């Protein structure tokens, strides 16, 4: 497989696995412990790695979330706790979840090595969130924690590449969300109010942007030797199956 093929095939796996920790009840409880809403924790937990910046800067970095919705979460959290503290708490939760759920994933040590090599090789140009997260120290060095953080970083790398690709396609972020699989429901979830523009003319641009996303992200996967791309995909798929396995009662 070429690096671009590996990027395209791994993208849905990375997007799913890289955000799985954020849906954990333990992660959501951290918001209450900090005294902020779940939305404020999501926005600031993800963008707080940027430091004490304005909400407009956060909206530009996140891209696909409506600026007013970003400001609600960012400014709401900032009245209680510094953004970098929320990001640090989010990272702790990511590590906790990873240690709990991924430490016993198939060939976890090998998967960590492949993911971390890819993350280290990624070009952060034009991807401030990815760069900020990659610079944050990881508080837990267990295999599961490292894997969870590596997947979070790869997810931010794909997200940053997609934002660049969307703008290069001539679409704005709202149009890209509308042309995506969730359509108007996705736009509403991201805080964009109706009325919405027609989707039909945007679909071809969205497909082009997806291809460019894979091309931009593929540079990171060039760090893998021949055959390691397929191995990475196999291990990511195994990790997803591991997370989906039934939990024994009792």
């Amino acid at each position: 497989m070429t690096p671009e093929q590996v990027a395209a095939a791994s993208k849905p796996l990375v997007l799913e696995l890289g955000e799985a920790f954020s849906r954990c009840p333990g992660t959501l409880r951290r918001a209450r412990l900090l005294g902020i809403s779940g939305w404020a924790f999501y926005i600031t937990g993800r963008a707080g790695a940027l430091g004490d910046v304005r909400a407009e800067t956060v909206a530009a970095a996140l891209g696909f979330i409506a600026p007013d919705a970003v400001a609600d979460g960012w400014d709401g959290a900032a009245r209680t706790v510094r953004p970098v503290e929320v990001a640090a708490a989010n990272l702790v939760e990511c590590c906790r979840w990873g240690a709990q759920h991924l430490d016993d994933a198939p060939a976890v040590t090998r998967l960590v090595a492949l993911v971390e090599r890819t993350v280290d090789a990624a070009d952060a140009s034009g991807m401030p969130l990815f760069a900020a997260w990659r610079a944050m120290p990881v508080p837990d060095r267990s295999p599961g924690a490292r894997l969870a953080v590596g997947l979070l970083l790869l997810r931010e790398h794909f997200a940053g590449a997609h934002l660049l690709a969307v703008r290069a396609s001539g679409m704005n972020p709202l149009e890209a969300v509308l042309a995506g699989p969730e359509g108007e429901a996705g736009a509403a979830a991201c805080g964009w109010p109706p009325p919405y523009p027609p989707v039909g003319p945007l679909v071809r641009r969205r497909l082009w942007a997806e291809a460019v996303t894979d091309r931009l992200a593929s540079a990171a996967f060039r760090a893998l030797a021949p055959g390691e791309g397929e191995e990475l995909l196999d291990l990511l798929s195994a990790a997803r199956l591991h997370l989906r396995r039934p939990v024994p009662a009792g």
Side-chain angles (χ1 to χ4, degrees):
M1 297 179 72
T2 67
E4 192 167 331
Q5 289 172 327
V6 175
S10 66
K11 182 169 59 181
L13 293 165
V14 168
L15 295 182
E16 177 182 337
L17 295 171
E19 69 168 5
F21 83 96
S22 66
R23 298 190 296 271
C24 175
T27 302
L28 300 176
R29 280 195 297 270
R30 181 61 69 117
R32 295 195 294 272
L33 293 174
L34 291 172
I36 60 179
S37 69
W39 179 249
F41 184 79
Y42 171 76
I43 293 294
T44 312
R46 187 174 169 204
L50 296 171
D52 296 322
V53 298
R54 295 181 181 275
E56 292 85 354
T57 303
V58 176
L62 292 174
F64 298 105
I65 301 175
D68 286 346
V70 170
D72 285 345
W74 185 260
D75 294 338
R79 287 191 288 268
T80 302
V81 61
R82 291 185 62 209
V84 71
E85 294 178 23
V86 183
N90 197 40
L91 188 58
V92 167
E93 291 302 321
C94 180
C95 288
R96 176 198 57 77
W97 178 87
Q100 181 179 353
H101 295 280
L102 295 175
D103 254 354
D104 58 346
V108 62
T109 302
R110 177 60 176 163
L111 181 53
V112 168
L114 294 173
V115 167
E116 289 185 340
R117 198 189 318 158
T118 305
V119 167
D120 290 343
D123 184 354
S125 301
M127 302 181 188
L129 269 182
F130 170 69
W133 273 108
R134 189 166 62 176
M136 289 191 70
V138 180
D140 184 341
R141 301 303 297 173
S142 66
R146 289 168 59 194
L147 178 56
V149 173
L151 291 167
L152 180 155
L153 289 169
L154 271 185
R155 185 178 185 279
E156 288 296 352
H157 183 61
F158 273 116
H162 190 53
L163 182 57
L164 291 173
V166 162
R167 298 314 314 273
S169 76
M171 288 190 294
N172 61 41
L174 169 59
E175 290 172 332
V177 174
L178 288 171
E182 297 182 3
E184 292 187 358
C190 290
W192 299 98
Y196 302 121
V199 174
L202 305 174
V203 174
R204 183 171 295 179
R205 290 189 181 188
R206 168 79 185 209
L207 294 174
W208 184 89
E210 290 288 353
V212 173
T213 299
D214 298 337
R215 196 170 307 129
L216 290 172
S218 68
F221 294 91
R222 292 176 194 153
L224 302 179
E228 288 185 333
E230 292 91 333
E231 183 183 8
L232 173 65
L233 292 172
D234 288 343
L235 292 178
L236 287 173
S237 297
R240 180 170 63 179
L241 288 173
H242 176 75
L243 290 177
R244 292 179 175 180
R245 73 195 190 286
V247 178

